[in-house]
Amino acid sequence: MALLSEGLIDLIRDRSATKVIATIDENGVPYAVASPFLQLDEHGLLVHLELLEKSYTNRNLLRNLWYDRKVAISVGNYVIRGVPIKVHISGPLFRQYYEQVRSVLGDADFSTVWLIEPDEVVDETYSTRKRLEEEEFPFSVHLDRLTF
Amino acid sequence: MKEPGRYSAVFLTSGSIVSGQAPFDDEVDYYIRILQEVGKHFKTRKFPSQIIGTAFTKNQLQRLYDETGLMSYTADIEVLNEELFNKFCPGKAEWIGYREWKKRLIDAVDVFGPGRVNTGLVAGIELAGPHGFMSEDDALERTLVEAEYLAKQGVSTVFIVWSPRPDTPLGDQKNASLDYYIRLARGLHALRVKYRLPIGFDDYRHCGNHPDSDLSRLLPY
């Protein structure tokens, strides 16, 4: 959990914040979709709820799980990279999320609970990235910004 | 069945009842009665379901489809070779026969649709001596040729891994290699890709016995 700052955790918990999950297929072609139910579990794992069994994302996540590939999740100005480590397709945890999804969407079906272990967080806030870029790559600065 | 998120299909399987006006008519009647009772609990006429039964005639299959909510059908041929089928499945050979079994599987596609009809193999038994294939390469090639004949006509083939059990007639036999099962899984999966056969009614969610159908999780259909 220490990897995720309090601010980021608050963002993940904010239902109104846009969350996007990006995966790649077997040819490395990226695919990014909204993950409206994205949340954190009590162990600090990201929980992505996949409603459709045959969706691009579900199939890509499976390949990621089998072959230890990373996914990227965008929340506000943060990007979290992580690895899918487990799926639930039945059992008490599945039922908990199944009921959660249906309480929001009504007559929806539900395919898979994906547990994703975050291993890297990138702060993409422009002011932060700009400061870092200017510190580390001073030759990428245009001179007009430095002149009187 | 009302438990939220718990069940996703109704499977029926049992032994064979050969009696009836035509062989197996009593078994079909029995299945129809059960499925009609089960069907009373659904809002839809059809519901996700599978019978794993013997190779019924087209007339029997049509009754099963028309008179119940049944959506898919499996008749396990066990081994894709006529000589070995006769050897290992004497009851099936006596009552139906290898070629008729395959014909009935193909007939079932007319009733249930492509990708809704399956047959299962006890994979590895085709290598059991002294009557089995002499090499894994030969067994694989011959099995996949027969599976392709079925796949071309809408019938999927899935397998379970044969496990020779002590104190049975084949209990002293050695199982096929892991490599054989991997190649067989890839081969059967490739046929489903080639002929675009969905296997949703018998995939990892519905029957965890088939290593080959697990690969279909990566397919868009």
Side-chain angles (χ1 to χ4, degrees), chain A residues 53-54 59 62-63 66 87 89 94-95 98-99 110-112, chain B residues 3-6 203-205 214-221:
Chain A
E53 175 72 16
K54 289 293 186 179
R59 289 180 285 125
L62 178 66
R63 199 175 280 105
W66 283 355
V87 294
I89 59 163
F94 178 86
R95 175 171 172 168
Y98 179 87
E99 291 181 318
F110 178 56
S111 168
T112 311
Chain B
E3 191 175 334
R6 180 70 186 269
D203 65 2
Y204 75 108
R205 285 178 177 269
D214 212 33
L215 294 170
S216 71
R217 295 172 67 182
L218 296 172
L219 298 177
Y221 46 84

Side-chain angles (χ1 to χ4, degrees), chain B residues 119-138:
Chain B
T119 192
L121 306 179
V122 182
I125 203 166
E126 61 276 19
L127 285 151
H131 306 285
F133 296 113
M134 299 300 287
S135 74
E136 291 189 349
D137 285 345
D138 193 22

Side-chain angles (χ1 to χ4, degrees), chain B:
Chain B
M1 290 195 292
K2 288 180 184 287
E3 191 175 334
R6 180 70 186 269
Y7 300 107
S8 58
V10 174
F11 276 35
L12 285 183
T13 186
S14 69
S16 285
I17 305 169
V18 296
S19 58
Q21 194 169 7
F24 307 109
D25 268 356
D26 285 350
E27 183 179 340
V28 170
D29 289 342
Y30 185 46
Y31 280 138
I32 287 172
R33 284 200 305 276
I34 293 170
L35 285 166
Q36 285 177 342
E37 280 304 310
V38 173
K40 289 176 182 172
H41 298 275
F42 291 99
K43 289 182 278 189
T44 52
R45 192 177 77 80
K46 291 288 179 185
F47 51 89
S49 49
Q50 182 185 173
I51 273 185
I52 303 108
T54 193
F56 297 119
T57 64
K58 194 167 185 179
N59 181 49
Q60 290 168 332
L61 292 166
Q62 198 67 57
R63 282 191 61 212
L64 278 165
Y65 186 81
D66 291 344
E67 296 177 30
T68 75
L70 185 65
M71 287 179 67
S72 68
Y73 170 67
T74 290
D76 292 331
I77 201 164
E78 317 295 1
V79 60
L80 279 173
N81 176 271
E82 185 165 7
E83 189 183 329
L84 296 175
F85 177 86
N86 292 339
K87 183 77 185 166
F88 293 134
C89 311
K92 291 182 176 184
E94 178 189 342
W95 283 93
I96 295 166
Y98 184 74
R99 293 176 197 192
E100 180 64 16
W101 195 286
K102 287 203 299 185
K103 179 188 171 299
R104 291 182 185 188
L105 283 169
I106 294 161
D107 284 347
V109 177
D110 289 341
V111 177
F112 291 91
R116 298 277 177 91
V117 179
N118 240 2
T119 192
L121 306 179
V122 182
I125 203 166
E126 61 276 19
L127 285 151
H131 306 285
F133 296 113
M134 299 300 287
S135 74
E136 291 189 349
D137 285 345
D138 193 22
L140 191 70
E141 185 187 341
R142 300 273 293 275
T143 297
L144 290 178
V145 164
E146 295 252 343
E148 179 153 18
Y149 170 79
L150 293 171
K152 205 181 289 184
Q153 295 170 91
V155 179
S156 251
T157 301
V158 296
F159 75 84
I160 60 167
V161 174
W162 175 47
S163 178
R165 309 306 300 168
D167 303 321
T168 62
L170 297 173
D172 60 342
Q173 296 282 328
K174 193 168 173 288
N175 209 343
S177 69
L178 175 60
D179 182 62
Y180 179 76
Y181 287 113
I182 291 170
R183 289 195 291 157
L184 182 61
R186 284 181 173 156
L188 294 176
H189 175 69
L191 291 176
R192 275 191 284 280
V193 172
K194 184 175 179 180
Y195 295 101
R196 202 177 168 84
L197 289 176
I199 194 72
F201 70 98
D202 208 13
D203 65 2
Y204 75 108
R205 285 178 177 269
H206 299 97
C207 184
N209 286 334
H210 311 306
D212 54 304
S213 67
D214 212 33
L215 294 170
S216 71
R217 295 172 67 182
L218 296 172
L219 298 177
Y221 46 84

